[in-house]
Amino acid sequence: MLLLLRRATSALRIYTQPSARRATPQPPCTPPLSSLLSLSACLGKKHKKSRWLELSEGQNMDGNVEEILAPLRQAVKEQGELVRKMKAENAPDVDVTRAVAELKARKRMLEAKELDLQPKDDIVDRTKMEDTLKRRFFYDQAFAIYGGVSGLYDFGPVGCALKNNILQVWRQHFIQEEQILEIDCTMLTPEPVLKTSGHVDKFADYMVKDVKNGECFRADHLLKAHLQKLMSDKKCTAEKKNEMEGVITQMDNYTQQELADLFVQYNVKSPSTGNDLTPPISFNLMFQTSIGPGGNMPGYLRPETAQGIFLNFKRLLEFNQGKLPFAAAQIGNSFRNEISPRSGLIRVREFTMAEIEHFVDPNEKVHSKFSNVADLEILLYSSKAQTSGQSAQIMRLGDAVEQGVINNSVLGYFIGRIYLYLIKVGVAKDKLRFRQHMDNEMAHYACDCWDAETKTSYGWIEIVGCADRSCYDLLCHARATRVPLFEPNKGAIGKAYKKEAKLVMEFLAACDECYITDQEKLLSENGEFTVETDGKTFKLTKDMVNIKRFQKTLHVEDVVPNVIEPSFGIGRIMYSIFEHTFRIREGDEQRTFFSFPATVAPYKCSVLPLSQNQEFMPFVRELSEALTKNGVSHKVDDSSGSIGRRYARTDEIGVAFGITIDFDTVNKTPHTATLRDRDSMRQIRAEVLELPEIIRDLANGVTTWAEVEGKYPIFEGQETSKKDTVEE
């Protein structure tokens, strides 16, 4: 059991926000860091300004978009082909690393140019939207009256209702419909668990400090902001701008020492005080604490929710009668001590995650319900398209699996289900894509990984990750029968690694068959392979290890299954919905509203008496009680403002429908009231007794507004008035 536990926890993919990454090592032949480096420069040739960068600058924006993008696409394609060729020819790792860095830089430049060429009317007015969110208290910075704390937010009544509805739809869409087992685990995690998973050693960013007041900054963000400020100076020459642009495009690839050199080269100071800064240091992003009063048990606030599922795998399997496949899920808060949180809900220090771990037999990786989503047409940005300079393409999901673009139908099924969920909660279909991780982005154990990304005013942001972790989680037949497939030469390993030889031996004894097969191929082709354990890297050659294969009859087979892992960032999904549903009324720039789908709208309905006339109040109470009994969240607004002003107030917080009680409600029998649709502002008239059920069906997606309009008369105007009531 202990062995199963350790393997399960170590199998965990470290799901990070884009900030939580480690710099890719640079080769020794690195030219001056102030230049945009090409592969030819890395190989020692004379450095010249990259042709692809020249072509990306100074283009006529009035020209054909594809003509502008063509040279950038070609540059990405050429670099992608070069990377593939180098890998096929087993080029030195340092050269491959450099070539991949160049490929990623070209790819980022292409994507940035594509976004820059998008129609400007497609971009939300973020300032106006954020003003609405703050003014109506969807959410606001936590501890604001004490000056606020970056990266921490409080949700108000409307934001809280919206978030709860998003999670409720998630539970219904995944947990109920897929019969997933939900668990709720503690947020405090002992250090050994996170040590095994790799978080303690690797979950870090580079940070610099103000030498006088100790203020901290994330190194790459500060350097980028400083360079952009220098580039905006009119005195900055074109050559210097090109040089700094090159540094920015390579930002993710610099090592700790290279970042330190760049800070010196560009004389970066604290933006707050102008003081000197310390050299970059590695900063672990987890919140550390101690468990118990003695302080003898170090621990952390969890950086993700998946750990608890893996730790409880055995209990979950028993609950499922020992049968595969099955899935477990958890919704809860996670914590990451971001150095420089920014971009609102996109990069925060405390956030809600919803994660699924779908356990499946590696020999039966076919989903029985894939046909339910096979005909979906989804915008897919494959790894091949990215390395070839192509755009994302709309593709039928069934074809993507059949053609091998998506590795298997289980992964394909979850991509389809994720797509349907995001559309259901309000993400715009034309601003949603699934991007496949390139080979250099995926962990060595991953079989295939896709991110659901949304287009926002910040560019494309990841909101859901969906990974097939392949056989990394599998305890193969060899371990189940205690038959090791690696046959180490203890003498050779001991001679090479002395006291650390034991680490290597323990690692080899724990390897599964899938991993061994991959290493066997490297051993055959290169004569060596490397392993990482306990934060250290060891090179093993043919004289140190052999692979032995034989057949053995098994009467009981023990396996740890492959895992498909969809991981949802709820805050990022919320932010995407805010941007994708924010609207301004045509003809009235001051009237803004959110067109949330009724299923997730904070309130499904408002109840508005036409005025404060006391004759309306019995109907208000009757409707409010009936709506509550039907499970319809609603908001009564009986204030003195005009009906138009009150409509605007409820529209602004995204209330989907509005019931208005007028004099026709009082004067006529059967008693009727109007029902207004927020987006179209059209109204129908129906009996008061029918309205709660109509709204319930609209909110649950059982019926549509078009169907309601077809069934009930359109409201043209009130036929009676207060005077008629008096006369009667």
Side-chain angles (χ1 to χ4, degrees):
M1 174 56 193
L2 179 60
L3 184 59
L4 281 168
L5 186 69
R6 288 181 63 81
R7 289 295 293 163
T9 54
S10 64
L12 181 61
R13 176 174 66 87
I14 301 177
Y15 179 87
T16 65
Q17 293 180 325
S19 65
R21 50 101 186 108
R22 302 186 76 194
T24 304
Q26 297 283 333
C29 52
T30 305
L33 293 171
S34 59
S35 306
L36 176 61
L37 303 174
S38 65
L39 180 65
S40 60
C42 175
L43 298 177
K45 296 180 181 178
K46 184 178 179 181
H47 176 65
K48 296 181 180 180
K49 181 182 176 184
S50 298
R51 171 68 175 159
W52 66 274
L53 180 59
E54 290 175 350
L55 290 169
S56 71
E57 298 168 351
Q59 294 282 4
N60 180 5
M61 290 298 107
D62 295 327
N64 181 276
V65 170
E66 275 307 314
E67 287 182 5
I68 296 172
L69 295 176
L72 296 176
R73 294 194 192 283
Q74 182 62 28
V76 172
K77 181 180 178 181
E78 290 173 358
Q79 192 67 16
E81 290 172 349
L82 178 59
V83 169
R84 283 189 287 271
K85 181 180 178 183
M86 293 178 71
K87 288 182 177 180
E89 295 176 351
N90 296 317
D93 287 346
V94 291
D95 292 344
V96 173
T97 299
R98 194 50 166 231
V100 168
E102 176 80 1
L103 172 61
K104 290 168 72 175
R106 295 184 182 195
K107 181 171 159 286
R108 281 195 297 272
M109 183 67 77
L110 171 60
E111 290 184 348
K113 183 61 69 175
E114 283 180 315
L115 284 172
D116 187 52
L117 296 175
Q118 294 287 337
K120 299 306 177 188
D121 57 4
D122 190 40
I123 301 174
V124 70
D125 187 336
R126 194 198 304 163
T127 302
K128 186 168 285 190
M129 182 194 76
E130 289 181 344
D131 173 69
T132 303
L133 291 171
K134 185 173 183 178
R135 181 164 41 82
R136 299 310 304 268
F137 195 18
F138 278 81
Y139 66 90
D140 199 4
Q141 192 172 42
F143 314 108
I145 63 173
Y146 283 91
V149 178
S150 297
L152 298 177
Y153 291 92
D154 293 332
F155 288 92
V158 185
C160 199
L162 176 68
K163 180 181 177 182
N164 288 338
N165 290 341
I166 290 171
L167 290 174
Q168 182 56 38
V169 174
W170 191 90
R171 277 194 168 95
Q172 180 185 351
H173 187 84
F174 290 105
I175 292 175
Q176 294 178 21
E177 293 184 22
E178 303 297 335
Q179 297 187 8
I180 293 173
L181 310 178
E182 183 176 6
I183 64 174
D184 187 4
C185 301
T186 175
M187 289 182 278
L188 278 174
T189 309
E191 185 177 56
V193 175
L194 295 167
K195 181 75 173 176
T196 303
S197 70
H199 286 83
V200 172
D201 296 325
K202 298 181 179 180
F203 200 63
D205 275 334
Y206 292 125
M207 174 182 74
V208 293
K209 285 185 178 182
D210 186 312
V211 295
K212 292 186 178 179
N213 66 13
E215 186 177 3
C216 299
F217 305 92
R218 183 169 153 181
D220 56 343
H221 289 175
L222 181 58
L223 177 60
K224 181 179 179 180
H226 180 75
L227 294 179
Q228 288 174 334
K229 182 180 179 181
L230 293 178
M231 290 164 63
S232 65
D233 191 333
K234 293 181 179 180
K235 297 179 181 179
C236 185
T237 65
E239 183 179 357
K240 201 68 176 176
K241 283 184 180 179
N242 293 335
E243 173 190 299
M244 289 186 282
E245 183 68 41
V247 174
I248 291 173
T249 56
Q250 294 279 6
M251 193 68 71
D252 289 343
N253 303 313
Y254 293 126
T255 63
Q256 184 174 355
Q257 184 56 51
E258 287 171 335
L259 278 173
D261 294 341
L262 287 166
F263 268 73
V264 172
Q265 179 179 338
Y266 290 103
N267 195 29
V268 183
K269 304 289 184 181
S270 167
S272 305
T273 63
N275 295 332
D276 290 337
L277 298 166
T278 65
I281 57 173
S282 183
F283 173 74
N284 192 285
L285 298 176
M286 292 190 294
F287 285 95
Q288 189 169 16
T289 185
S290 60
I291 302 172
N296 298 323
M297 184 183 292
Y300 298 89
L301 291 176
R302 65 185 180 193
E304 59 192 6
T305 57
Q307 291 281 352
I309 299 175
F310 282 103
L311 296 174
N312 286 287
F313 170 73
K314 183 175 183 291
R315 301 294 303 277
L316 290 165
L317 183 63
E318 289 171 354
F319 185 86
N320 203 52
Q321 288 84 48
K323 296 178 181 178
L324 290 175
F326 79 90
Q330 181 171 197
I331 298 172
N333 280 13
S334 298
F335 305 84
R336 296 177 187 176
N337 197 10
E338 295 284 353
I339 299 167
S340 309
R342 57 182 183 172
S343 306
L345 296 179
I346 294 176
R347 191 182 303 281
V348 293
R349 287 175 167 143
E350 180 181 358
F351 51 95
T352 302
M353 297 181 74
E355 291 193 290
I356 298 170
E357 305 294 338
H358 180 83
F359 300 98
V360 59
D361 190 319
N363 299 314
E364 299 175 9
K365 206 177 279 187
V366 177
H367 204 289
S368 59
K369 296 199 296 183
F370 179 67
S371 59
N372 295 353
V373 299
D375 290 329
L376 289 175
E377 294 191 339
I378 299 177
L379 188 63
L380 298 179
Y381 197 18
S382 68
S383 173
K384 183 178 179 181
Q386 293 172 68
T387 56
S388 302
Q390 300 171 6
S391 298
Q393 299 292 325
I394 294 177
M395 196 171 189
R396 181 178 170 273
L397 202 54
D399 294 338
V401 172
E402 187 177 327
Q403 296 171 23
V405 177
I406 297 173
N407 186 269
N408 58 78
S409 68
V410 181
L411 183 61
Y413 178 74
F414 276 99
I415 288 175
R417 292 291 291 164
I418 292 167
Y419 171 83
L420 291 172
Y421 167 73
L422 293 175
I423 299 303
K424 186 186 296 185
V425 296
V427 171
K429 188 183 298 186
D430 60 341
K431 294 181 180 179
L432 171 64
R433 74 180 185 189
F434 283 79
R435 187 186 71 83
Q436 186 177 32
H437 285 206
M438 296 189 295
D439 290 343
N440 61 288
E441 291 180 273
M442 286 194 291
H444 71 275
Y445 54 78
C447 179
D448 196 6
C449 297
W450 292 78
D451 290 339
E453 297 182 332
T454 53
K455 182 183 173 186
T456 70
S457 58
Y458 291 105
W460 288 96
I461 62 169
E462 174 195 349
I463 60 173
V464 183
C466 190
D468 180 345
R469 296 144 62 87
S470 190
C471 58
Y472 190 73
D473 294 307
L474 176 65
L475 288 176
C476 67
H477 305 167
R479 184 174 305 146
T481 55
R482 299 297 185 266
V483 179
L485 295 182
F486 267 134
E487 192 171 48
N489 182 334
K490 296 181 181 180
I493 294 175
K495 183 178 179 181
Y497 296 115
K498 306 292 190 294
K499 293 181 180 179
E500 294 178 332
K502 184 180 178 182
L503 291 175
V504 180
M505 301 295 290
E506 289 176 349
F507 180 89
L508 295 178
C511 288
D512 59 55
E513 186 176 15
C514 181
Y515 178 76
I516 290 170
T517 300
D518 291 341
Q519 304 316 306
E520 183 180 24
K521 184 179 178 182
L522 290 175
L523 199 63
S524 174
E525 293 176 353
N526 305 335
E528 63 183 33
F529 66 91
T530 59
V531 300
E532 288 189 18
T533 180
D534 203 32
K536 299 176 181 178
T537 302
F538 302 94
K539 183 183 291 185
L540 300 178
T541 58
K542 285 185 176 181
D543 65 318
M544 295 182 183
V545 65
N546 293 318
I547 312 293
K548 65 175 182 179
R549 295 189 175 278
F550 55 87
Q551 291 185 339
K552 179 172 181 175
T553 302
L554 293 173
H555 299 286
V556 177
E557 182 179 17
D558 235 353
V559 296
V560 173
N562 280 205
V563 179
I564 309 295
E565 182 187 64
S567 185
F568 298 73
I570 301 302
R572 291 183 171 208
I573 292 173
M574 282 185 71
Y575 184 80
S576 299
I577 294 170
F578 287 142
E579 282 212 6
H580 293 185
T581 61
F582 184 67
R583 304 282 186 271
I584 298 174
R585 288 285 183 208
E586 188 175 349
D588 189 348
E589 290 290 316
Q590 299 307 310
R591 286 190 64 179
T592 61
F593 68 100
F594 289 96
S595 62
F596 302 127
T599 50
V600 297
Y603 301 99
K604 312 305 180 192
C605 175
S606 59
V607 180
L608 311 173
L610 188 64
S611 68
Q612 292 184 311
N613 190 308
Q614 290 304 305
E615 293 180 275
F616 299 146
M617 293 306 115
F619 295 97
V620 172
R621 286 192 292 271
E622 178 186 346
L623 275 166
S624 181
E625 290 173 3
L627 287 167
T628 300
K629 288 179 181 178
N630 279 274
V632 177
S633 60
H634 61 282
K635 182 176 177 62
V636 175
D637 186 353
D638 56 2
S639 60
S640 60
S642 69
I643 191 68
R645 187 181 296 274
R646 283 181 285 154
Y647 280 150
R649 277 205 299 260
T650 58
D651 289 351
E652 197 171 41
I653 60 173
V655 179
F657 305 102
I659 297 174
T660 304
I661 298 153
D662 58 16
F663 287 105
D664 282 356
T665 308
V666 176
N667 297 336
K668 292 188 172 186
T669 54
H671 299 294
T672 61
T674 65
L675 180 63
R676 173 183 179 270
D677 173 58
R678 174 200 59 215
D679 293 350
S680 66
M681 296 192 294
R682 291 167 62 87
Q683 299 184 55
I684 59 97
R685 192 162 201 106
E687 289 189 29
V688 169
L689 294 177
E690 291 184 79
L691 286 171
E693 292 184 3
I694 294 172
I695 297 168
R696 181 195 63 196
D697 291 344
L698 284 166
N700 293 336
V702 175
T703 188
T704 64
W705 179 255
E707 290 170 342
V708 171
E709 279 195 347
K711 185 176 179 180
Y712 296 94
I714 300 297
F715 173 68
E716 301 292 348
Q718 188 177 217
E719 295 179 3
T720 63
S721 65
K722 182 177 181 180
K723 181 180 178 182
D724 297 326
T725 306
V726 174
E727 289 175 353
E728 291 179 4

